Each structure stands twice: as structure tokens, then as C-alpha cells.
Amino acid sequence: MQLALLILMPLLGALLPAVRRHDPVVRLAVLAALPALASLMLLLSLLPQVLAGETLLWTREWVPTLGLSVSLRLDGLAWLFATLITGIGCLIILYARFYFAGKSTAGRFYTLILLFMAAMLGIVLSENLLVMLVFWELTSLVSFLLIGFSWDKRGARRGARMSLVITAGGGLALLAGIVLLGQVVGSYQLTDVLAAGDEIRAHAQYPLILSLILLGAFTKSAQFPFHLWLPHAMAAPTPVSAYLHSATMVKAGLFLMARLHPALADTELWFTLVTITGMLTLMVGAFVAMFMHDIKGLLAYSTVSHLGLITLLLGLGTPMALAAALFHLVCHALFKAPLFMMAGYVDQATGSRDMQQINGLWRYMPALMVLTAIPAAAMAGLPLMSGYLSKKMLFVESLQVSSPDWATLVIPVWVTLAGLFSVAYSIRIFHNVFFNGKPVELPIYPPKKISNSALSPLFLLAAATLAVGLAPQLAYQWLVQPAVSAANGLPLPPYDFSQLGARLPLLMGIVALIGGLLFYMARNPLFAIHARLPEVDAKEIFEWLMQRCIRFSQHQVYGLENGSLQRYLALLLGTAVVMGFWATEGFRDWQGSIALQPLDAMTLLGGLILCGAAFGVAIFHHQRLPALLLLGVTGLFVTLTFARFSAPDLALTQLSVEVMAVVIMMLALSFLPQQSPSESRWPRVSRDLIIAGVAGLGVALFAFAILTRPMESISSFFLANSVSGGGGTNVVNVILVDFRGFDTLGEITVLGIAAVAVFAFTRDLHLKERAVPIADENWVAEPHPIILSMVARLVLPIAFLVSAYIFLRGHNLPGGGFIAGLVTAVALTLQYMAGGLAWAQSRMVMQFRPLIGAGLLVALFTGLASWVFGYPFLTSAFGYVHWPLIGKFELASALVFDLGVYLTVVGATLLILANLGKLMTVAGPGKEIG
Amino acid sequence: MELLFAITLGVLTSTGVYLLLRARTFSVVLGLTLLSHAVNLFLFGMGRLKTDSPAVIGKALEHADPLPQALVLTAIVIGFAMTAFVVVLALKAAVELRNDHVDGEDPNEDRP
């Protein structure tokens, strides 16, 4: 729980500055510092356990089936990073109190910084790799928001976008890599993954996994060629640059490489990928930094170079190289943050960050000069400073490389050269800013004063840098040793700092120092040469690339998606046809083992009529009325098909539905054009014919293949248990109201919803004109013929009787609620047609929507009732009673359920019909129906 | 018999798909109806074709598969509700867009 608190405190604490954002900056800083300090203190209190080599774990299950649990882990490595994150975070909060003095955006800044702190702690403390990914993406997002902090500036927006695209893109690669890794290991828990190193390295997918994970790490840690986002991230406020883009977030990739070291490292591929990337980044960063005139730009490229250095050390793979990497990581965080803070103060005091303008500031800010001298000296690697030791460790490790052959010579020379550049730019940032003559055309002159209290965070960091430089053993024992042991699982021997005085490393250091000095002295002619080189603006190239991508996808989307539903349907059906074709490719065995049943003349005739009518509908669809009549014929013959193949219930249902459907379409037709204009040209028609033809052929073949094969149905259960379990002999009905009653409940609900939707749609539908005038000669002039209305009235009671009969016998013989409901609805529809809407409506005793509701409730409560008796939902009960005169009669609770079905069907059908019919009446009945 | 059933299914599917691809809402409604006939028959056919053997205990010696029948029965009723819904949609579109083209606008020609 302590581990969760570590993350939760800054996470929840982020709310405080957000809520109190109108408070003065001082109070906001205190509010923000509280959770950060609390986390730091908690971490320090856990130090004894970490030093003792313990690994603290905390787990909460989340989605166990996915291998996802919220589990946290604190060991030496996590502790080192977490302490850096919270410790430097506290100082940044302090620094921002001066940086944001008098600005109104401090609340937003503090909220985001705390959010970032929580996310970053999440990365280093996660035990589950998937959870770590979530935090990983969160840092990318917060970094995006912080780079774009001054969102009214174009540079900030572009820089933010660029960093998001690169780091989040890398995050996707990381996601893929980690999912693959988890599948290979069978678990996403770090403990399992780290223990499975040999298995992973031997796996066929190891190169892929490694590349994907490294891609994520490299993009986050600004490794060449993904380093481009980091200099552009300098558009962020300086506290952000100091914190996210030098001390913490960019170290997340390095952390990941150190964390997964036992699982992924120690292969040739690892060495090649990581070392070479590190070397390139180291050199590119160090070289370009020298030519940056912007202070923050120089610091950004120097950060890139230091990140490359650490990557290079991680790539070497020996425990000592790992120790050197982590040692340098700590040193870098300690000396780079104060340099950024200095850049921020200089920027605010002079209004410029251009080192061609800023010169000779020692006169105006001597204290800042002294506090800059220490980290700058550490960055250059001067003796007594922390950077001196870490650079020497690098030289020593570079000399240890024994294979491959090229590396034994190249790496030492390479790192010496990079050391030379780093000396040069370190001298430059110090000498150029504080000496080198007088200021040139500063926007603010003389520069503003910086209060001494504002220098306190720099002081603390500079003191820490000095302390590490003076007492390296202590820093090593407390910070690095447990971290390395935790990272590779082996105890690490104490580091022999005296070996740094050996001849060769010392020589390399002297070469770098003198070379760097010489390089700096020769800077002016070099700058002149550099200025003449064509300038390549990475941001422009990036923007251009983005624009191209966007235009390309726009083109693709609009090319495919032109707003024509007709076209989407064609694409959809076409795709289905192609997929079906592809899936059955090579399948020849269309006729199965069952012998075909003999065909009799009547069935053949029926089939032919059905086919003919279907073709007729397609051919005559321009003539809508004949097409509709032919559609009725197909419906009728589908009914007969059901009857022919032993499905009396289906036949009854289809018959009554068919009547209703044709009536509804007739109603619709009177508002739609009577004829479809013939507008399809032959390419379109032939394309559609091909799609339709292939679809039909496919369905026919598929159906034939299935019909001629034997099958094992689960229906024997229903047939065997229908009478004993459900109390009915009509198995179809028993399935509907008993075995699968819950499905039926869902289905009548859908029916009710559809009906209410029709009601809602027609309510505010005002048909302005009829498509066909009433007086058209083709239409019957008499709206309600007398014979029809007389007959209809006679039929009604008979129809009710029939539907009652069908309803009651439904459990045992073909019939039931659905069919009875439809028969009732047909009979009532006849009244509407014969007597007119107003006439029929005035005689309806009930509204339809309550009828639907009542039906659904009856069905639902029948189901619920079985709970009362301690049975599962919708368990049916039945018994037999002897009524006088009638004799033995079955009473089943399923009958009540069927009553619900009946009521819903009647209500829904009539609601649909009456509302469509209402549109017909010219004046309308005045009140709504339903 | 199976062959005839399969061919009929094919014909219903073909005509349904062809009408679905037409440009006017009414044709699409017709096509949907034909296609739902095809689908219902197809589902029904999954229980294999049996004659003179309704799934009523005691009325026949053999019984057709009752499960697809129960499935199709509700499918028919819901299919009807959906047809009604599509019809109302078509009406509404026709009124509001003054046009019964499926794309909602009167094209001079079919789009590519």
C-alpha cells in the first residue's frame, strides 16, 4: 500500500493546484510541494529495506483473465529513479515558484507537473508491464501538454505535436513489443519476465520483440534519429525542460533498457543495436550542441549526447558498464537541471537566450555565475566533479570492450572525441554567457536582478554535484549498487575508484580536455563555416511530412467514402462475396453424403413460382405496384414452403405477417413515387448483376452443401423434454415460451422498441402532399366500400374467436402467442381499412403503447414469479385441472408468458399500422394514436 | 428436393441483393424483404428438410428439428417490425429531402 501511496499522493495532489489555481504562486508552490515531499519522505523511509536488497511488491487484481493486475514493485533500480523523480521534482516546484512569479498560469503548471510526477513514478514502480505502458503513454501526453504550455505560440504547438507523434508512435511499438514479450513468457509480471531471459533470447521472435521495445525506448530517450523532437521541446517553459526533458522523462527509455536488461540484453543483436545507436546519438548531440547559439538548444543537444552516452554504456552489457551508466545518469540529472535553471533565469533577466547577444553577465549576476560554474565543470568532466568520475568510468569501460574487433579501437577513440566536444560546449555555455566581452543589444538592459532566494534550488543541486564528486563511494554504495543489483539480479562488487587514475583513461581525459579547449578557441571561424552550410530545419521537414500524411489519408478516405450509401452497400456486399469466394476456394465437394429426396411435381411448381415471382419483383421494380404484388406472391410461397417442410407454426406466422407487411408497404407507396426512374447505366447494372449473381450462387451452393450433410442437433433434448419438462406437445412453442423464454422476452422487447420508434418517427412527420392525387382514376374513389365494412364487422368476432383458439391450443398444437397476436392484428387492421382510421380509432378501447408495456410486464413478471418459488428466472410450472363440461385442461405458467407475447405483438403491430395509416388521412384524426 | 430448395434460396438472395443495390428507397425495401425471406429459409434449412413430420409430439413418428423453427418464428416477426421501421425511415427521408434516392440527393447519374 505504501507503494500505491507513492503514486497516489502526487496523482491526487494534482487536484489541489487545479482547484486553487487563482491563489498566489507562493501558496500554489506549497500546495504542490506537499504531495511531492510526502512521496520523497516515504521513499527515504523505505531506503533501509532497499539497501538490504529487498524487493517490495504490492498487487491488486484488475483483469486477471488478461494477465492484467495493478502491481507495483520497489527495488534498488526503481528506488533510484523514484528518488530522482521526486527529489528533483521538489526542487523544480521550488524553482517554478520564482520562474512563474507574477504569472497566472502557475496553477496549470503545477497540476501538470504533479500529474507527470505520478505517471513517471508509475513507470518506474510498475511490476506489471501493461500497467507500465499506461503510465508510459501518460507521460507522453503530459509532456505534450507541457511543451504546448504556451499554446498561443506556433513553435510551442508544433514542438508539442512533434514530440507526441514521435514518443507516442514509439509507445505503440513498445505496446506491440510488450504484448509479444508477454505472450512468449506467458505473463506480464516483471518478476516472471526477468526470470525468463534465456527462454526469450532463444525464441524465434526475439529480434522482433527486441527491436520493437528498443524503438519505444529510443524514441522516448531521444536517440538518433528520433532525437529531433527534444530540441523542439525546448519551447516548453524552462522548469519543464529541466525536469521532463533532461532529468526524468527522457530517462524513461534508459530505465526500460536497464529494467529489461536480464530479459533482453547480452546478445550480439542487443550490443549492435544499442551500442551503435548510443554512439551515433552521443556524437551527433555533442557536435551539434557546440554550434547552437540558443542556450536551451545547446543544453538540449548536450542532453541528447549524454543520453546517447548512457545508452552506449547500457549496450556494452557488462555489470560494470551498467553501473557506470546509472552513475552517469544520476550525475547528469544533478548537473543538467541547474544549467537549465540558469538558462531560465538568464532568459527572464535579459529577454534573450541567444549566446551571441548574452555575454559578460558576471558583472550583473555573480552568484549565478558561481552556481553555474560547478555544474558546467561537472558536465565538462573536470577533476573533483561528479562528471569527472562518470566520464572516466566511461573511458575505462570503453577500453574493456574486447569483441567485436571493430569496437576495441573505435569505441575508445569515439568516446574520447565525444568527450572533446562536450568539453568544448561546456566551456562555451559558461564562458559565453558570463564572460566573452559585453552584452550585445540585449532586449532587457541592464539585466534584471535575481534574488538570492531564487538561487536556492541551484545551490542545492550544485552542492549535490559537488558532494557526489567528493564522496563517490557513498553515492555509489547507496544509489548505484542496489540499483545495479536489482537490475541484473547479481550482487555487484564495490567500485574501485582508484583504477580511474590508470594511465590510459587519464590520457584520454587529458586529450579531451585540451582538444576541447582548442576547439572552443577556434570557435569563431568554425561558426562562420557552420553558418554557411545550408540549414536544415527538422521541424519544417517534419511538418511537411505530416501534411503529406494527412493529405494522403484524406485522399484515401474521401476516395473511398464519398457519402453514397448505395456505394457503401455495394462495397460491403462485394467484399462479402469476395471473402466467401476466397474462403471456399478449392472446395469441390458440394454434394454431401445424404441422398436427395425425390422431387414431386407440386413442390417443383411451387418452387418455380417462387423463383418466378422473385425474378418478377427484380425485373418490374420500376413499376412499384406490380412489384409489390409479386412480393406478396413470394411471401405466400415462402409460407407454403414452410408448410411443405413440416413447420406449421412458421407457415401461420409468415402468412399473417405477409398480410401486414403488404398493407404497410401499400400505405408507404401512396406517399412515394409510383415508379422508379430508370437511371442506372449499364456498367452499374452489370456490376450489380455480377455481385447479386455470385451472392446467390454462393448461398445456393452453401445451402446445398449443408442440406446434403448429416448433422447432430441438440434438438433431441427439446423433443425428449418438451412434454415432461414444459408440459406441451408443440415443441416449437415450448421452446419459445419455456426453454428459450428469455430469448423470447428479448425479442418481444425489440418488437416493442421498433414499434415505439415508428410511432416517434411518424408523430412529427408532416406529409405535405400525396404523391398521387386522390382523384386519380387508378384509385378507387370510394374510400370505405360499404360491402367491405359490413363484412369486416362480421368477421371481427369470428377472428377474435379464432385467435383465442389458436392462442389456447398453442402449447400443444401449432399456434401460440405470436400467431394469435398477428391474427388479431390482421382482423383489427381490416377494421381500419374498411371503416377508416377515425371510425376504428374511436372504437378502440385501449391505446397501443400501454398494451405493449402491459405485454412486456406480464412476460417479465411471469419470469420473476418463478423466483418467488425459488426457481431460476422463467422456470415454467404446469398442472392439470378438471373443469366441468370441458374436462381435463392444462394450466401452465408458460401460458401467462405467452399472453404477454400476445399483447406485445398486438400492440406493436397495430401501433405501427395505425400510425402509418394516420399519415394517409388528409386532415388526420386530430389526436395522436398510440 | 434439396437442390430445388437451394436454387430457390439462391434466386431469392440474388434478387434481394440486386434490389438492395438499386438507388431508390422503395426498391431497397423490396430487396430487404426478399433477402429476409432468403435468410429465414436458410436458417430453417439448417434443420434439414423433412416432410410430414411436424415437431408436435404425438402427431407424427418423426419430428423435424424444432430449434431452427423457433428461431425463424421470432425472426419473421422482428423482420416485419424492421421492415415497418425502414418504411417509415424511407417516408421520412422522402418528405424531408423531397427525394426518394437512397443517398438523399437527386443525382443526375449514379455515382462511381
Side-chain angles (χ1 to χ4, degrees), chain A residues 92 95-96 99-100 103 105-106 108-109 112-113 142-151 153 156 232-245 296 340-341 343-344 347-348 353:
Chain A
I92 293 292
Y95 170 69
Y99 186 87
F100 280 102
K103 292 183 190 165
T105 46
R108 185 152 58 97
F109 170 80
L112 289 174
I113 278 289
V142 180
S143 160
F144 169 77
L145 292 174
L146 281 169
I147 297 171
F149 194 76
S150 318
W151 39 262
K153 293 195 185 111
H232 293 290
M234 292 299 131
T238 306
V240 175
S241 310
Y243 191 38
L244 271 70
H245 304 128
K296 282 181 80 176
F340 266 109
M341 292 177 177
D347 186 10
Q348 285 188 329
R353 293 191 329 221

Side-chain angles (χ1 to χ4, degrees), chain A residues 232-279:
Chain A
H232 293 290
M234 292 299 131
T238 306
V240 175
S241 310
Y243 191 38
L244 271 70
H245 304 128
S246 83
T248 54
M249 190 183 89
V250 288
K251 305 267 167 70
L254 307 177
F255 167 78
L256 188 70
M257 286 191 269
R259 181 88 277 181
L260 294 177
H261 211 263
L264 296 173
D266 284 336
T267 61
E268 208 168 304
L269 187 65
W270 168 278
F271 178 86
T272 316
L273 284 177
V274 180
T275 310
I276 292 181
T277 307
M279 285 169 67

Side-chain angles (χ1 to χ4, degrees), chain A residues 720-793:
Chain A
N721 289 291
S722 176
V723 178
S724 58
T729 51
N730 181 7
V731 187
V732 177
N733 184 266
V734 174
I735 289 177
L736 283 175
V737 298
D738 192 338
F739 291 124
R740 309 294 311 161
F742 201 32
D743 293 352
T744 309
L745 184 60
E747 275 147 3
I748 56 175
T749 312
V750 173
L751 187 66
I753 291 171
V756 173
V758 169
F759 166 75
F761 261 140
T762 47
R763 196 161 57 157
D764 55 351
L765 189 62
H766 299 292
L767 297 174
K768 299 204 175 53
E769 66 217 51
R770 276 169 171 268
V772 179
I774 298 289
D776 191 299
E777 54 193 291
N778 292 333
W779 291 76
V780 181
E782 171 67 62
H784 309 299
I786 186 91
I787 297 177
L788 180 62
S789 52
M790 284 294 119
V791 172
R793 283 175 215 184

Side-chain angles (χ1 to χ4, degrees), chain A residues 562 564-567 597 624 644 646 679-680 684 688 692 696 707 709 711 713 715 729 731 747 767, chain B residues 1-2 14 21-22 24 45 48-51 53 55 57 65 69 74 87 95 100 103 109-112:
Chain A
N562 61 356
S564 163
L565 298 174
Q566 202 185 355
R567 171 177 218 203
Q597 295 175 48
R624 293 182 175 186
R644 176 78 182 86
S646 330
E679 57 194 10
S680 294
R684 163 65 67 96
D688 294 349
L707 287 174
R709 280 172 165 72
M711 69 143 181
S713 170
S715 293
T729 51
V731 187
E747 275 147 3
L767 297 174
Chain B
M1 204 99 94
E2 279 81 0
S14 285
L21 292 172
R22 303 276 52 79
R24 298 286 161 175
R48 305 300 183 269
L49 303 180
K50 283 189 181 161
T51 50
S53 48
I57 310 284
D65 194 338
Q69 294 194 15
T74 49
V87 163
V95 169
D100 69 336
D103 292 344
E109 75 288 334
D110 285 315
R111 298 198 200 186

Side-chain angles (χ1 to χ4, degrees), chain A residues 639 642 647-657 806 809 814-815 819 822-823:
Chain A
T639 307
F642 286 136
D649 289 276
L650 292 189
L652 284 170
T653 314
Q654 183 72 54
L655 186 64
S656 30
V657 158
I806 288 178
R809 75 170 206 167
I819 299 164
L822 286 166
V823 169

Side-chain angles (χ1 to χ4, degrees), chain A residues 562 564-567 569-570 596-599 603 610-611 614-615 617 621 624 627 631 635 642 644-647 649-650 653-654 657-658 660 664-665 668-669 671-673 676-677 679-681 684-685 688-689 692 696 699-700 702-704 706-707 709-711 713-715 718-719 729 731-732 735-736 747 751 754 757-758 761 764-767 812-813 818 909 912 916, chain B residues 1-15 17-27 29-30 33-34 37 40-42 44-57 59 63-70 72-74 76-78 80-85 87-92 94-95 98 100-103 106-107 109-112:
Chain A
N562 61 356
S564 163
L565 298 174
Q566 202 185 355
R567 171 177 218 203
L569 207 52
L596 297 186
Q597 295 175 48
L599 185 63
T603 315
L610 181 50
C611 291
F615 277 127
V617 177
H621 76 274
R624 293 182 175 186
L631 189 72
F642 286 136
R644 176 78 182 86
F645 296 111
S646 330
D649 289 276
L650 292 189
T653 314
Q654 183 72 54
V657 158
E658 203 51 45
M660 302 295 291
I664 282 177
M665 280 195 243
L669 198 53
F671 297 103
L672 290 170
S676 296
E679 57 194 10
S680 294
R681 298 207 205 116
R684 163 65 67 96
V685 170
D688 294 349
L689 278 175
V699 169
F702 196 41
F704 185 64
I706 291 175
L707 287 174
R709 280 172 165 72
M711 69 143 181
S713 170
I714 58 168
S715 293
F718 298 124
L719 290 166
T729 51
V731 187
V732 177
I735 289 177
L736 283 175
E747 275 147 3
L751 187 66
V758 169
F761 261 140
D764 55 351
L765 189 62
H766 299 292
L767 297 174
N812 291 314
L813 289 167
F818 274 111
T909 320
I912 292 169
L916 270 171
Chain B
M1 204 99 94
E2 279 81 0
L3 192 61
L4 179 71
F5 191 84
I7 291 173
T8 313
L9 265 186
V11 170
L12 282 173
T13 311
S14 285
T15 48
V17 168
Y18 178 75
L19 285 172
L20 267 190
L21 292 172
R22 303 276 52 79
R24 298 286 161 175
T25 48
F26 193 76
S27 314
V29 174
L30 293 179
T33 312
L34 284 178
H37 282 326
N40 287 342
L41 283 176
F42 185 77
F44 173 65
M46 290 302 101
R48 305 300 183 269
L49 303 180
K50 283 189 181 161
T51 50
D52 301 326
S53 48
V56 179
I57 310 284
K59 294 286 169 188
H63 300 296
D65 194 338
L67 193 62
Q69 294 194 15
V72 172
L73 199 150
T74 49
I76 293 172
V77 179
I78 289 183
F80 160 71
M82 286 303 138
T83 308
F85 187 66
V87 163
V88 172
L89 273 185
L91 277 180
K92 189 148 177 104
V95 169
R98 301 186 157 278
D100 69 336
H101 194 278
V102 284
D103 292 344
D106 215 346
E109 75 288 334
D110 285 315
R111 298 198 200 186

